[in-house]
Amino acid sequence: MADISANFLGIKSPNPFWLASAPPTDKEYNVRRAFEAGWGGVVWKTLGSEGPPVVNVNGPRYGAIYGADRRLLGLNNIELITDRDLYTNLDEIKRVKADYPDRAIIVSIMVPCEEEAWKAILPLVEDTGADGIELNFGCPHGMSERGMGAAVGQVPEYIEMVTRWCKQYYSKPVIVKLTPNITDIRKPAAAAKAGGADAVSLINTINSITSVDLDNMCPEPSIDGKGTHGGYCGPAVKPIAMSMVSEIARNPETNGLPISGIGGVTTWRDAAEFMALGCGNVQVCTAAMTYGFKIVQEMIAGLSQWMDEKGHASLDDFIGMAVPNTTDWQYLNLNHITKARISQDDCIKCGRCYAACEDTSHQAISMSEDRTFEVIDAECVACNLCVNVCPVEGCITMETLAPGAIDARTGKTVEADYANWTTHPNNPSATAAE
């Protein structure tokens, strides 16, 4: 059996699945249930300072985006950081850590961007025995309007400054949680590293409005006839999260900086993909809120089975394996040729591939009178649209043409082993060399 135990920043947990800082980690009751279900760690919902109390809305806090089968694809929330008393939270964290010493407990923190505020709260958190802290520089709503959350995360100089304070006044690992609401994620990540951060976690939620009530003409969720922007999360944000993770993992300035991956992790495969892009572990929120804490058991079983099948003895065997294969568009091999292939045995003759290709792509699929669909190789540019719109998994596949084969579209021979790519005019390295 593969060993799926994780060692992230020296923080050990029985598996790489942590619950993210969010409603599921707001109190002792929830966290104990999570650990009993099998979660390897939690990031306790964000604590604030001892100042004015945080007051959440007493009304709908979530908006949603659904798939055709009402599967939850995205969740928007307007909830703030914990509205529970700071010392109540601290006492609960201390008790839970004492009872579950083998599980990771990280404390998320958000206080004003003032050195004294951080200096005051950090010793209190350290006294709980928690394994580390996560600096919440990502929340896009509510707290950002008070100069915290994403308001800090969007300014690299602030990130570096606050991170330095935390490294000065706190002795355990410091994780910086980054906001996706920024043009270039590499800059805040580099700032966190410059400030001494032990790791970064990303992404936090994406600024969003999920829907508008067209009867009352206000965004949803609505509070007494008014709505606001909130934080978007769930399966729909996974592609954005993985892109940002990969940018940090392959950037020379941040290469080697440990990453905790967040954003739409719902299955073991999602987790494996994040780790292949350089994450040492993953954090989960929406999946747990949708299906309950026991979903982690499917994640554990699936990851273990896949690692066994692939021959991976530990997580380190595949963490970061996809990073070297992640590049900029200009470095893609333009000599590589593939064509779509339709399995007539699996085809249900719905015609979606034909409609999509004929109307919006390259007119590379023919339809006979008996609704038999065939690929016209001479027109197929291998865009993959037909594969994506086909409702039958595996019915349409992409076939790579072997070296020496004739590309019907161009009439040219597929170059053996794509050897000529090194001197191809579309290869920027070759152009530079010339």
Side-chain angles (χ1 to χ4, degrees):
M1 291 289 291
D3 178 9
I4 67 167
S5 63
N7 187 337
F8 188 71
L9 309 177
I11 303 168
K12 296 181 180 179
S13 56
N15 59 66
F17 303 109
W18 293 6
L19 282 172
S21 171
T25 63
D26 190 33
K27 56 172 113 35
E28 179 178 2
Y29 177 83
N30 298 50
V31 174
R32 286 183 181 275
R33 283 181 61 84
F35 284 160
E36 289 302 313
W39 290 90
V42 302
V43 182
W44 205 277
K45 188 174 180 182
T46 307
L47 308 185
S49 59
E50 298 179 66
V54 172
V55 180
N56 272 294
V57 296
N58 289 311
R61 298 181 184 180
Y62 303 108
I65 296 293
Y66 299 103
D69 57 357
R70 200 171 163 78
R71 185 189 313 177
L72 189 66
L73 300 180
L75 197 64
N76 166 293
N77 86 88
I78 61 170
E79 185 166 310
L80 303 182
I81 65 175
T82 184
D83 52 13
R84 303 170 67 241
D85 177 71
L86 172 63
Y87 290 95
T88 299
N89 274 297
L90 294 171
D91 288 343
E92 292 182 1
I93 293 167
K94 190 171 187 176
R95 285 197 297 270
V96 175
K97 183 57 190 177
D99 289 347
Y100 295 90
D102 66 325
R103 309 301 174 94
I105 296 184
I106 307 297
V107 180
S108 177
I109 309 175
M110 181 195 293
V111 296
C113 198
E114 302 164 358
E115 184 173 0
E116 289 304 312
W118 289 95
K119 185 177 180 180
I121 196 171
L122 290 171
L124 302 178
V125 172
E126 186 146 9
D127 186 57
T128 65
D131 299 294
I133 58 174
E134 183 179 80
L135 313 186
N136 186 343
F137 294 156
C139 188
H141 58 275
M143 306 308 292
S144 59
E145 295 155 24
R146 309 178 196 188
M148 295 180 276
V152 176
Q154 291 167 339
V155 184
E157 293 80 5
Y158 291 172
I159 293 175
E160 181 175 349
M161 177 178 67
V162 177
T163 303
R164 287 190 188 279
W165 293 340
C166 293
K167 289 299 294 181
Q168 180 180 353
Y169 300 119
Y170 184 75
S171 67
K172 292 183 178 180
V174 175
I175 304 170
V176 175
K177 190 172 187 179
L178 302 178
T179 177
N181 303 299
I182 195 164
T183 304
D184 188 346
I185 196 66
R186 295 172 298 181
K187 288 182 170 61
K193 185 176 181 180
D198 298 283
V200 291
S201 60
L202 68 154
I203 59 174
N204 209 314
T205 53
I206 300 171
N207 210 9
S208 65
I209 290 177
T210 52
S211 60
V212 172
D213 183 331
L214 293 179
D215 292 320
N216 298 310
M217 286 297 172
C218 66
E220 294 183 311
S222 62
I223 307 296
D224 194 26
K226 301 286 184 181
T228 186
H229 59 94
Y232 193 53
C233 57
V237 311
K238 176 190 165 191
I240 300 167
M242 291 203 300
S243 176
M244 291 188 170
V245 162
S246 73
E247 288 296 289
I248 294 172
R250 66 191 185 96
N251 179 24
E253 283 190 72
T254 51
N255 183 266
L257 180 64
I259 304 171
S260 181
I262 313 171
V265 177
T266 307
T267 68
W268 68 266
R269 182 178 291 275
D270 297 330
E273 291 175 7
F274 269 91
M275 289 189 281
L277 287 172
C279 296
N281 69 3
V282 293
Q283 297 183 33
V284 180
C285 172
T286 306
M289 295 178 72
T290 306
Y291 302 108
F293 285 151
K294 288 186 178 180
I295 191 175
V296 74
Q297 295 168 13
E298 295 181 14
M299 295 179 179
I300 291 169
L303 182 63
S304 298
Q305 181 176 334
W306 174 78
M307 288 175 63
D308 285 340
E309 291 172 354
K310 293 293 184 181
H312 298 312
S314 70
L315 301 178
D316 289 336
D317 286 354
F318 70 93
I319 287 176
M321 282 187 69
V323 175
N325 294 324
T326 307
T327 188
D328 295 330
W329 190 96
Q330 61 182 335
Y331 299 114
L332 299 178
N333 185 352
L334 301 190
N335 285 338
H336 184 75
I337 305 297
T338 57
K339 298 295 180 184
R341 295 289 179 257
I342 301 173
S343 168
Q344 299 304 329
D345 291 337
D346 296 315
C347 181
I348 60 174
K349 302 183 183 300
C350 67
R352 286 177 63 179
C353 63
Y354 173 79
C357 189
E358 189 72 14
D359 290 350
T360 69
S361 196
H362 295 274
Q363 298 76 51
I365 296 178
S366 65
M367 178 178 68
S368 67
E369 291 185 0
D370 66 348
R371 294 184 67 84
T372 296
F373 300 94
E374 298 280 1
V375 175
I376 307 170
D377 277 7
E379 301 300 331
C380 179
V381 300
C383 71
N384 207 39
L385 177 62
C386 56
V387 176
N388 292 324
V389 301
C390 179
V392 180
E393 185 175 2
C395 177
I396 306 180
T397 55
M398 302 305 295
E399 177 188 2
T400 299
L401 296 192
I406 302 297
D407 178 0
R409 187 166 182 268
T410 64
K412 296 180 180 180
T413 301
V414 176
E415 298 175 32
D417 298 326
Y418 314 113
N420 290 344
W421 178 242
T422 55
T423 57
H424 195 288
N426 286 329
N427 184 341
S429 300
T431 304
E434 292 170 3

